[in-house]
Amino acid sequence: MDAKAKVSIVIPFYNCQYIDLAVESALAQSYTDIEIIVVDDGSTKHIEKLTPYKNDIIYIRKTNGGTASALNRGIMAATGSYFAWLSSDDQFHPDKIKRQMELIQNSGTFFCHTAFYYINEQGERLSEVVAPPMNRVQLIETLMKGCPVNGSSVLLNMKVFYTVGLFNESFLYTHDYELWLRILPYYEWAYIKEPLLDYRVHAAMGSVIHGKQQTQEIKRVQAKHAKALLRLLRKEQKL
C-alpha cells in the first residue's frame, strides 16, 4: 500500500450529541495515516464534547450553512490524497479505512463504498447487513430511483473533486446523492459487502426532521440527472 496515501476524514458537526463517539471511531482506525477534520457548522450545543480531542483533530468553526458547506470547508482544508466523510452521529468500524484503502488501491478505482448496519440511540444494532452488492447496471438502475449509497461509507480519491467539483451547497439534504450521480459516469466504483459502518437512526437526525424537504430535493436531483443516467444505462447495457 502507498505509504504516502493519507486519508482526510471530514466530520461535519452541528449540535449533535454523538460527536464524541464519531471522533472516537475515527481515532480508533487501524489505518494510521489519517487526519481528522471536524467542521463545526455553527453549533450551539455539545461543543464541549470535542474538548478532550482538540490535540488529535483539526477543528474548524464556521457560520451555519448546511452539511454540504461544512464538507466542502473540510475538503478545502484537507491535506490527504483521499477523502472519507463521517457524519457526526455515525461510527466507523476499526478497519473501515484500511479495508477501503486496500481495495481502492489494488483495484485501481477512485471511489469505494461499503455495506453498513443501522443502530439506535444507544448504539444497539437494529438491522442485518444493509446495501447488497450490485453490478454496474443494477447500480445505475437503483440510483435512478433513490440513493443506496451511505455517505459515511464512502472513501474516494481527492482527484475526483477536480473532475466533478465539490458538493453542491444548494442541495441541503441530498448533496450526497447529487454528487454520486455526477461521479458515476466518470468512475468505476469499488464495493465492500462487509458492513464497516454503524449508521445511527434517531429522532433528531436530518432525514427525520426534514423528511418532506428531502423528498422534494430527491425529485430535483433525479430530474437534473435523468437524461445523463439514461444515456449511461443504455451504454452499459450494450457492453
Side-chain angles (χ1 to χ4, degrees), residues 201-216:
V201 179
H202 57 97
M205 65 192 302
S207 58
V208 173
I209 296 173
H210 305 292
K212 184 177 180 180
Q213 297 95 318
Q214 185 180 63
T215 299
Q216 293 172 343

Side-chain angles (χ1 to χ4, degrees), residues 183-224:
I183 292 172
L184 188 65
Y186 294 95
Y187 298 98
E188 294 289 330
W189 293 7
Y191 177 76
I192 297 175
K193 62 182 179 181
E194 175 188 351
L196 295 172
L197 168 74
D198 289 332
Y199 175 71
R200 194 182 307 274
V201 179
H202 57 97
M205 65 192 302
S207 58
V208 173
I209 296 173
H210 305 292
K212 184 177 180 180
Q213 297 95 318
Q214 185 180 63
T215 299
Q216 293 172 343
E217 273 199 7
I218 288 171
K219 293 178 181 178
R220 283 177 53 206
V221 169
Q222 292 172 339
K224 178 181 179 182

Side-chain angles (χ1 to χ4, degrees), residues 99-238:
R99 292 286 310 281
Q100 288 187 286
M101 287 298 293
E102 289 173 347
L103 177 58
I104 209 167
Q105 293 189 335
N106 291 335
S107 64
T109 50
F110 282 64
F111 184 101
C112 178
H113 62 117
T114 80
F116 59 95
Y117 289 119
Y118 287 113
I119 61 171
N120 64 14
E121 291 93 335
Q122 290 76 39
E124 299 165 336
R125 191 170 295 167
L126 298 176
S127 71
E128 300 298 323
V129 178
V130 181
M134 308 174 192
N135 62 37
R136 190 159 170 85
V137 169
Q138 292 170 329
L139 178 63
I140 295 167
E141 290 174 336
T142 303
L143 282 163
M144 293 173 80
K145 302 172 184 175
C147 184
V149 180
N150 189 305
S152 289
S153 80
V154 167
L155 182 143
L156 59 85
N157 192 307
M158 285 285 191
K159 293 177 181 177
V160 170
F161 294 122
Y162 292 103
T163 301
V164 305
L166 298 176
F167 289 92
N168 187 329
E169 296 179 18
S170 69
F171 291 101
L172 295 178
Y173 313 109
T174 57
H175 44 275
D176 51 347
Y177 185 20
E178 197 275 333
L179 179 61
W180 312 155
L181 296 185
R182 277 189 278 137
I183 292 172
L184 188 65
Y186 294 95
Y187 298 98
E188 294 289 330
W189 293 7
Y191 177 76
I192 297 175
K193 62 182 179 181
E194 175 188 351
L196 295 172
L197 168 74
D198 289 332
Y199 175 71
R200 194 182 307 274
V201 179
H202 57 97
M205 65 192 302
S207 58
V208 173
I209 296 173
H210 305 292
K212 184 177 180 180
Q213 297 95 318
Q214 185 180 63
T215 299
Q216 293 172 343
E217 273 199 7
I218 288 171
K219 293 178 181 178
R220 283 177 53 206
V221 169
Q222 292 172 339
K224 178 181 179 182
H225 294 278
K227 291 182 180 179
L229 283 172
L230 185 57
R231 285 195 300 268
L232 184 60
L233 178 61
R234 288 171 176 170
K235 175 183 175 182
E236 293 292 332
Q237 288 173 332
K238 291 178 181 178

